[in-house]
């Protein structure tokens, strides 16, 4: 890529050269100035850096304390940075100094737009996310987005499918039971939901590969959202686990999520704005009875979330996880049928109730929305306060 050409800025007292370097997270362009001088309105203490965003028609320079003064002249030394801000940007008056830009500066041209400025350096397109998100209408919609939700025919998975569709996304889901999947697809079709589906046992690697081939075909090789939701549990003391049971939990809960993330990565990257959300559990944070292996799989997911958030950030792919406590689903019906056990669950939960699947799916949707574009690497508990409850008795 040809580096951007130097741009000239006239301050009225001295002409200087500014080299456009890169986009910033707030959607601007950082300009490195060899020297920039003008007569300030107010004197302030020395040494600082100026920062800001390049906007169409910019005429002001926002400063943060770190400047050098010589008599009545304020100077930004070599290798300092500057952000050129729009007039409409509200900043403290004492930090504003007006600049008269020369016709050679792209910031001065009335037809210059931020999009055209950013096109000068297409390798740094992440800033488009922050800029587009300034519009409220685009921040709270998934219109035009595509999503894969694993295990989407019941419980939390089904709630996630319907939540994402409600925000405008097109969704593909999977289930190992073909009859159950067909029934769900019929229900969604009757409601006008844009949902497609495939039969897939996520514990089988070959079926995972086939599912992603289907997703790539359905969504034209681009995927915005991957909800790694599928999971299961076997409740028993750790010493009683057979090798087959251990393998089943590891393959279903962790290996499938890891592999799906690998397979989906090219599609997420191609979309330009990707979001991965894992369904973890509070068992990955705290000890729960008869859930040692389950907790190990969820702890692994929590660490994978953090690693991928850093590893894939350069591709504008965000990675987060939600960690539920007891949610009213078919998966926990049997264990919660014991009234004494249920009372103990309530006693450990500050909100004194079970969660609803919709209370998890709403968080998943939020983490996929443009409104959450600066959130990545987080594991958020949806547990009524259980994970932070030390000793807080309901009586006495």
């Amino acid at each position: 890529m040809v580096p951007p050409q130097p741009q000239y800025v006239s301050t009225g007292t001295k002409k200087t050269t500014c080299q456009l370097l890169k986009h910033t997270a707030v959607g601007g362009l950082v300009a490195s100035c060899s020297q920039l001088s003008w007569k300030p309105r107010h004197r302030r203490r020395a040494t600082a850096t100026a920062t800001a965003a390049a906007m169409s028609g910019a005429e002001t320079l926002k400063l943060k304390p770190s400047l050098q003064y010589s008599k009545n002249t304020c100077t930004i030394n070599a290798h300092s940075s500057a952000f050129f801000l729009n007039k409409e940007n509200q900043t403290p008056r004492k930090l504003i100094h007006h600049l008269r830009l020369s016709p050679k500066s792209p910031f001065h041209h009335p037809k210059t737009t931020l999009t055209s400025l950013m096109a000068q350096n297409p390798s740094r397109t992440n800033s488009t996310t922050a800029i587009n998100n300034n519009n409220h209408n685009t921040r709270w919609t998934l219109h035009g987005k595509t999503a894969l939700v694993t295990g989407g025919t019941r419980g939390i998975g089904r709630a996630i499918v319907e939540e994402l569709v409600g925000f405008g996304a097109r969704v593909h889901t999977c289930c190992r039971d073909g009859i159950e999947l067909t029934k769900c697809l019929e229900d969604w079709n009757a409601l006008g939901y844009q949902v497609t589906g495939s039969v897939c046992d996520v514990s089988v690697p070959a079926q995972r590969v086939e599912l992603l081939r289907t997703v790539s075909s359905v969504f034209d090789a681009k995927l915005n959202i991957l909800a790694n939701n599928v999971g299961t549990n076997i409740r028993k003391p750790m010493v009683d686990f057979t090798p087959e049971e251990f393998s089943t939990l590891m393959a279903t809960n962790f290996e499938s999520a890891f592999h799906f993330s690998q397979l989906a990565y090219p599609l997420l990257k191609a979309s330009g704005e990707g979001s991965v959300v894992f369904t973890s559990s509070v068992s990955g944070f705290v000890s729960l009875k008869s859930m040692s292996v389950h907790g190990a799989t969820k702890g692994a997911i929590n660490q994978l979330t953090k690693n991928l958030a850093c590893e894939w950030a350069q591709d504008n792919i965000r990675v987060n996880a939600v960690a539920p406590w007891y949610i009213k689903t078919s998966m926990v019906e049997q264990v919660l049928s014991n009234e004494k056990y249920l009372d103990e669950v309530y006693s450990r939960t500050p909100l004194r109730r079970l969660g609803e699947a919709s209370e998890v799916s709403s968080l998943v949707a939020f983490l996929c929305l443009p409104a959450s574009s600066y959130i990545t690497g987080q594991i958020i508990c949806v547990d009524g306060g259980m994970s932070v409850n030390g000793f807080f008795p309901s009586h006495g």
Side-chain angles (χ1 to χ4, degrees), residues 311-333:
E311 189 173 328
W312 291 357
Q314 63 183 355
D315 300 311
N316 206 25
I317 301 171
R318 297 182 298 110
V319 185
N320 295 286
V322 296
W325 173 222
Y326 277 115
I327 305 298
K328 286 190 280 187
T329 66
S330 59
M331 185 175 177
V332 298
E333 280 180 353

Side-chain angles (χ1 to χ4, degrees), residues 31 36 130 139 168 183 194 227 235 276 297 335 350:
L36 181 60
R139 290 168 60 217
K183 177 63 169 61
Q194 297 186 70
R235 298 174 186 274
V276 179
T297 63
V335 68

Side-chain angles (χ1 to χ4, degrees), residues 31-47:
S32 177
C33 303
S34 58
Q35 192 177 64
L36 181 60
S37 303
W38 72 97
K39 292 183 178 181
R41 296 177 179 175
H42 307 283
R43 291 180 61 84
R44 279 175 293 286
R45 64 189 180 84
T47 63

Side-chain angles (χ1 to χ4, degrees), residues 68-375:
Q68 291 186 351
Y69 291 87
S70 175
K71 294 183 179 180
N72 292 325
T73 301
C74 179
T75 304
I76 302 177
N77 286 334
H79 307 302
S80 292
S81 297
F83 265 162
F84 295 92
L85 291 181
N86 193 317
K87 278 184 175 180
E88 288 78 15
N89 190 283
Q90 299 299 315
T91 54
R93 179 176 296 178
K94 71 177 183 177
L95 297 183
I96 294 297
H97 296 268
H98 290 282
L99 300 177
R100 292 193 298 276
L101 307 178
S102 71
K104 293 184 179 180
S105 169
F107 309 119
H108 183 71
H109 198 285
K111 293 184 180 180
T112 299
T113 64
L114 186 54
T115 302
S116 64
L117 288 173
M118 291 162 56
Q120 298 181 41
N121 196 344
S123 66
R124 297 284 186 171
T125 57
N126 290 4
S127 57
T128 57
T129 301
I131 294 181
N132 291 338
N133 289 351
N134 288 333
N135 186 322
H136 186 276
N137 292 332
T138 61
R139 290 168 60 217
W140 297 97
T141 181
L142 293 174
H143 181 72
K145 306 296 185 182
T146 58
L148 168 62
V149 180
T150 63
T153 57
R154 63 172 71 177
I156 293 173
R158 180 162 186 163
I160 292 173
V161 168
E162 295 176 356
E163 195 84 48
L164 296 179
V165 170
F167 277 97
R170 291 185 296 143
V171 178
H172 190 88
T173 191
C174 67
C175 173
R176 61 185 176 183
D177 185 332
I179 297 176
E180 183 176 300
L181 177 64
T182 300
K183 177 63 169 61
C184 287
L185 291 175
E186 290 174 350
D187 292 343
W188 288 326
N189 182 63
L191 294 171
Y193 292 172
Q194 297 186 70
V195 183
T196 53
S198 302
V199 175
C200 176
D201 182 344
V202 302
S203 66
V204 180
Q207 294 192 31
R208 296 195 290 259
V209 172
E210 184 59 33
L211 174 61
L212 262 295
R213 286 202 189 103
T214 300
V215 169
S216 180
S217 176
V218 170
F219 295 142
D220 299 322
K222 293 181 180 180
L223 183 68
N224 297 103
I225 298 164
L226 170 62
N228 274 311
N229 165 76
V230 100
T232 189
N233 191 22
I234 299 173
R235 298 174 186 274
K236 59 169 56 179
M238 186 271 273
V239 295
D240 294 338
F241 266 86
T242 66
E244 292 75 19
E245 290 171 333
F246 177 85
S247 296
T248 295
L249 281 188
M250 292 301 296
T252 304
N253 291 4
F254 179 68
E255 183 187 321
S256 69
F258 183 93
H259 194 197
F260 276 134
S261 299
Q262 280 186 319
L263 295 171
Y265 169 73
L267 309 184
L268 293 164
K269 183 179 179 179
S271 74
E273 292 181 336
S275 179
V276 179
V277 182
F278 294 100
T279 299
S280 180
S281 168
V282 292
S283 70
F285 290 96
V286 298
S287 175
L288 299 180
K289 183 179 180 180
S290 300
M291 294 183 68
S292 57
V293 180
H294 183 273
T297 63
K298 298 304 183 178
I301 282 177
N302 292 348
Q303 189 58 47
L304 181 63
T305 298
K306 298 173 185 178
N307 282 55
L308 292 186
C310 299
E311 189 173 328
W312 291 357
Q314 63 183 355
D315 300 311
N316 206 25
I317 301 171
R318 297 182 298 110
V319 185
N320 295 286
V322 296
W325 173 222
Y326 277 115
I327 305 298
K328 286 190 280 187
T329 66
S330 59
M331 185 175 177
V332 298
E333 280 180 353
Q334 183 175 354
V335 68
L336 295 181
S337 63
N338 184 323
E339 291 189 9
K340 289 184 178 180
Y341 186 87
L342 183 59
D343 287 340
E344 290 198 50
V345 169
Y346 288 153
S347 71
R348 293 291 301 139
T349 309
L351 288 183
R352 299 293 187 266
R353 65 177 178 85
L354 303 178
E356 299 286 345
S358 60
E359 293 176 303
V360 181
S361 65
S362 58
L363 176 58
V364 173
F366 171 71
L367 292 172
C368 299
L369 284 166
S372 67
S373 57
Y374 202 53
I375 300 175

